[in-house]
Amino acid sequence: MIECKNIAKTYSSGAGEATVLKGLSFKIDDGEFVAIIGPSGSGKSTLMHILGALDTPTSGSYLLDGKNVSDFSDDELADIRNKKIGFVFQSFNLLARSTVLRNVMLPLVYAGVSKEDREIKAKESLKNAGLDELHFYHLTNQLSGGQMQRVAIARALVNNPSLILADEPTGNLDSKTGEIVLDTFEALNKEQHHTIILITHEREVAEHADRIITIRDGVIVEDSKNTKKSK
Amino acid sequence: MKISDLFEEISLALLANKARSGLTILGIVIGIGSVIAMISIGQGASGSIQSNIQSMGSNLVEVMPGTQKSSGVSSGWGSSQSLTLADADAIAAEVPTAKAVAGEVSGRYQVTSKGKNTNTSVVGTVASYPVIRNVEIDLGYFISDQNVKSMSKVAVLGSGARDDLFGEGVDAVGQVIRIKGIEFKVIGVTKAKGGTGMGSQDDMIFIPLSTAQKFLVGNNYLSTINIQAQDAESMTELQAQVTNLLLSRHNISNPDNADFRIMNQADIVASASSITDTLTLLLGAIAGISLIVGGIGIMNMMLTTVTERTREIGLRKAIGAKRKDISLQFLVEAVMLTFIGGAVGIFIGWLASIAVTKFSGVATKVSLTSVLLAFGVSAAIGIIFGYYPARRAAKLNPITALRYE
């Protein structure tokens, strides 16, 4: 479960101070599929970094599974990212010249999982992400964009995290492949009850989620159930 | 992160860029290889000089006239006239630690045989000389006490002098040579010792001491008194006893004004090694420079790698790599490069020193110390030049690293 209380983030530079987030509060329960939407400059990327434990808020508290992550050290944050968060990036960020399997096993390497277990978990995760077994030993740069994003999703899933953070996951894909990837997220949420936060600036993408949080200029302007979603 | 995983990551990273890794390693190979080769040449030279000195005789102490304090240019033979045959006899009689004593006069002369001539060192000495100076006779005999007593005009040729005057391997015994125009009959030839350079006994010609004093020098002084000590331990004692004896014989009360000087083999070896040590140091320093250049090459490659792999570092941090994991990965990568380079460099340096010995005849010696030193230095270079890039990688902010284009 995620709880944000009055989160603010201020960047200071030579030119002065810029407040990007101005006191955001919300809760996300386990098993929710939430989209955070907002135009560029709204602060959604900064929020994503805080939710992903890549950064800490200037003030306010961020509770992830009951732990206040906001005052963690660098290494403690790395540990949280490794065990509790799975990232899916717009540009996939896979290791080129490495096999699909190796990429998916990477978080487990840092978690100190044994070699045999790594392979079992990685294969299972790849199946859940919907990648054909045929590609497991291919190099990642031989794959199509859609396949690459499935590998990235598998990598995000492999440690069975409390939260999957997808940052514009369809941004580098054509609309048809994008649909397939979004369907994968929906399936993971419905069938395996993973908590998913989708960060995007596109309304059609956001409408795959059950709940949409809209932010603008560092504040939440709307937080509502997605009524348009069929079913 | 486990050690085995760390090494797997590093091998993959190094293999991903074979050409660059190879060239960087080459820099270290050349550095370590030249250190090994240069030090082996230096140590080989010092080893062969020392064994040459040892071959001149064991437990040897030499007494020589002091430098002439009056005017004039010293001209070798008889330049300072302070030692006499009587001094040598007194040492033999009165110093108990002296096992054998041989006076000598020596100088360079033009020596001719039928149609050939050479300029070489002629040594006038006595029968005990071969024992003290390790001279072995190949053909014929060495000078006898009888020869010295009767002032015979006989000569014993060093093997090199024989080669110059009569040709290689010719039996010269019974032939005649002329030294300073005076005829001498050859009665023996010495065995080759193989020493090279100044003072090689192979190039000397030996004649009776009395003959040399009468016909070549024209006075009764000695240029050297060779003394063999009973054993290595008695050398210092012998030196002190000989000094005291000669000072009293020459009526000198202040040892600082002694008109002779005493050198033992240890002194000669020490002065020779100080020269070769300097040589080794110089060669090592030249090689060390190339090693530093190799190290800078490592740092350059690691910095390029860190920049190139910024996004990868960002990703690794995002999925849970700690600072330590990242810095260790890059540091060990640099150490691995230098370690491989060090191992190959030692092998190449060893081959090079063998080649130097084979083609130039200069003795070389690859010592365990220089190998261990090279390994230590290459590992240290990896750590020193890998530290900064590794720290830079570890300090990268994952957010900016992920966005890096």
Side-chain angles (χ1 to χ4, degrees):
Chain A
M1 195 187 74
I2 286 171
E3 196 175 354
C4 290
K5 287 182 194 155
N6 211 18
I7 282 188
K9 182 80 186 174
T10 307
Y11 291 105
S12 47
S13 65
E17 290 194 339
T19 306
V20 182
L21 297 179
K22 300 164 185 166
L24 279 70
S25 300
F26 58 90
K27 251 188 197 179
I28 295 172
D29 287 322
D30 286 345
E32 270 197 273
F33 186 3
V34 182
I36 294 174
I37 188 167
S40 58
S42 59
K44 64 179 190 306
S45 287
T46 307
L47 180 61
M48 196 276 284
H49 294 147
I50 290 170
L51 293 177
L54 287 164
D55 206 349
T56 48
T58 318
S59 67
S61 60
Y62 168 37
L63 291 132
L64 178 60
D65 288 348
K67 277 182 215 158
N68 190 355
V69 176
S70 23
D71 48 7
F72 273 26
S73 74
D74 256 19
D75 280 355
E76 284 170 320
L77 287 176
D79 208 46
I80 290 289
R81 292 197 293 269
N82 184 248
K83 303 221 159 65
K84 303 225 174 240
I85 295 161
F87 287 98
V88 178
F89 301 99
Q90 177 175 2
S91 48
F92 323 132
N93 279 316
L94 300 175
L95 300 185
R97 299 195 210 90
S98 284
T99 62
V100 164
L101 208 56
R102 209 182 151 69
N103 265 281
V104 179
M105 289 192 297
L106 200 58
L108 300 173
V109 168
Y110 290 112
V113 175
S114 80
K115 236 174 176 166
E116 300 81 55
D117 286 356
R118 267 186 243 161
E119 198 162 323
I120 296 165
K121 283 188 177 182
K123 282 182 174 166
E124 197 187 295
S125 182
L126 277 163
K127 273 177 212 155
N128 285 338
L131 192 82
D132 201 296
E133 211 162 325
L134 232 122
H135 303 299
F136 285 9
Y137 293 94
H138 283 174
L139 297 181
T140 51
N141 42 10
Q142 296 170 335
L143 302 178
S144 71
Q147 287 167 333
M148 283 203 242
Q149 200 56 301
R150 280 170 192 274
V151 175
I153 292 169
R155 184 181 60 195
L157 286 173
V158 76
N159 248 352
N160 199 21
S162 323
L163 167 66
I164 293 172
L165 265 178
D167 184 15
E168 302 277 10
T170 57
N172 277 4
L173 301 174
D174 59 70
S175 55
K176 203 177 145 223
T177 324
E179 275 307 306
I180 298 169
V181 166
L182 289 169
D183 287 344
T184 310
F185 280 119
E186 272 185 68
L188 286 170
N189 175 249
K190 295 280 127 26
E191 287 153 28
Q192 301 187 23
H193 311 291
H194 284 286
T195 314
I196 297 168
I197 298 179
L198 186 65
I199 290 110
T200 183
H201 66 280
E202 286 178 87
R203 184 133 293 262
E204 305 109 77
V205 173
E207 271 162 8
H208 285 261
D210 300 321
R211 175 180 160 196
I212 300 173
I213 298 174
T214 313
I215 58 172
R216 185 164 294 143
D217 298 328
V219 288
I220 296 177
V221 289
E222 199 192 336
D223 182 354
S224 60
K225 282 241 172 300
N226 178 15
T227 45
K228 285 188 187 169
K229 193 163 176 182
S230 47
K231 284 182 276 178
Chain B
M1 199 175 188
K2 291 174 188 158
I3 300 290
S4 57
D5 294 327
L6 183 69
F7 279 99
E8 205 180 324
E9 290 286 335
I10 291 163
S11 338
L12 281 171
L14 290 180
L15 287 174
N17 237 318
K18 288 190 200 73
R20 192 199 290 166
S21 307
L23 287 170
T24 313
I25 288 171
L26 189 64
I28 295 294
V29 168
I30 292 169
I32 291 287
S34 46
V35 165
I36 292 282
M38 296 293 195
I39 290 180
S40 81
I41 291 169
Q43 290 189 333
S46 110
S48 73
I49 288 174
Q50 286 182 16
S51 72
N52 272 357
I53 293 168
Q54 297 294 350
S55 80
M56 285 176 188
S58 49
N59 305 329
L60 180 68
V61 172
E62 288 183 355
V63 185
M64 275 168 282
T67 43
Q68 202 173 29
K69 291 201 174 100
S70 58
S71 67
V73 179
S74 95
S75 53
W77 188 274
S79 70
S80 170
Q81 300 176 334
S82 59
L83 298 174
T84 63
L85 196 56
D87 287 330
D89 290 342
I91 292 167
E94 291 173 37
V95 177
T97 45
K99 195 171 151 200
V101 180
E104 81 172 68
V105 281
S106 57
R108 293 189 78 85
Y109 285 93
Q110 200 65 27
V111 182
T112 58
S113 68
K114 280 179 223 138
K116 293 190 180 173
N117 78 81
T118 177
N119 186 290
T120 193
S121 177
V122 177
V123 176
T125 188
V126 295
S128 55
Y129 186 88
V131 183
I132 301 171
R133 299 298 300 252
N134 267 353
V135 175
E136 282 180 71
I137 289 296
D138 188 22
L139 297 163
Y141 306 94
F142 197 77
I143 295 149
S144 66
D145 287 335
Q146 187 55 44
N147 292 147
V148 179
K149 247 180 233 165
S150 59
M151 246 182 260
S152 324
K153 287 175 195 153
V154 293
V156 175
L157 305 183
S159 60
R162 186 266 319 269
D163 293 348
D164 289 343
L165 291 167
F166 296 99
E168 224 163 289
V170 171
D171 182 0
V173 177
Q175 305 273 10
V176 169
I177 58 167
R178 283 171 175 274
I179 304 171
K180 214 180 163 190
I182 303 158
E183 275 192 12
F184 283 80
K185 189 179 160 204
V186 177
I187 59 165
V189 177
T190 68
K191 265 186 195 164
K193 267 187 174 176
T196 50
M198 287 193 307
S200 165
Q201 288 174 345
D202 288 351
D203 290 332
M204 288 177 178
I205 293 173
F206 305 97
I207 60 173
L209 177 64
S210 51
T211 318
Q213 284 177 331
K214 180 148 176 77
F215 296 105
L216 301 183
V217 209
N219 64 40
N220 285 326
Y221 294 105
L222 297 178
S223 57
T224 310
I225 300 173
N226 300 293
I227 309 165
Q228 186 176 34
Q230 267 165 347
D231 45 48
E233 287 75 43
S234 60
M235 298 258 282
T236 335
E237 198 188 334
L238 174 77
Q239 223 171 318
Q241 287 170 343
V242 170
T243 310
N244 288 336
L245 178 67
L246 291 180
L247 286 175
S248 72
R249 282 181 62 86
H250 295 182
N251 294 321
I252 298 163
S253 52
N254 183 357
D256 292 340
N257 297 333
D259 56 355
F260 59 89
R261 56 200 170 97
I262 298 187
M263 268 167 70
N264 67 39
Q265 240 169 351
D267 297 337
I268 303 169
V269 170
S271 69
S273 9
S274 83
I275 295 167
T276 52
D277 284 354
T278 312
L279 178 80
T280 309
L281 197 70
L282 182 74
L283 291 175
I286 293 167
I289 290 168
S290 62
L291 197 54
I292 290 172
V293 173
I296 293 169
I298 295 268
M299 181 134 129
N300 189 16
M301 163 171 173
M302 293 313 297
L303 282 175
T304 314
T305 307
V306 169
T307 311
E308 255 184 17
R309 285 160 67 188
T310 299
R311 280 178 74 104
E312 181 194 320
I313 294 163
L315 169 81
R316 283 176 188 274
K317 286 195 145 189
I319 62 173
K322 297 188 171 70
R323 272 180 184 222
K324 190 191 73 195
D325 296 323
I326 300 291
S327 63
L328 215 57
Q329 181 177 348
F330 285 91
L331 192 62
V332 176
E333 199 169 312
V335 172
M336 196 122 120
L337 285 172
T338 54
F339 218 68
I340 296 169
V344 178
I346 287 168
F347 182 67
I348 301 264
W350 176 66
L351 285 184
S353 70
I354 288 174
V356 165
T357 310
K358 196 169 159 58
F359 294 113
S360 76
V362 174
T364 57
K365 192 174 132 207
V366 178
S367 66
L368 185 67
T369 334
S370 65
V371 169
L372 291 178
L373 186 79
F375 249 124
V377 167
S378 62
I381 281 184
I383 292 168
I384 293 164
F385 290 98
Y387 177 77
Y388 173 66
R391 212 175 71 117
R392 210 157 106 158
K395 274 170 75 177
L396 281 174
N397 178 324
I399 300 164
T400 32
L402 277 169
R403 285 208 193 122
Y404 185 83
E405 293 297 329

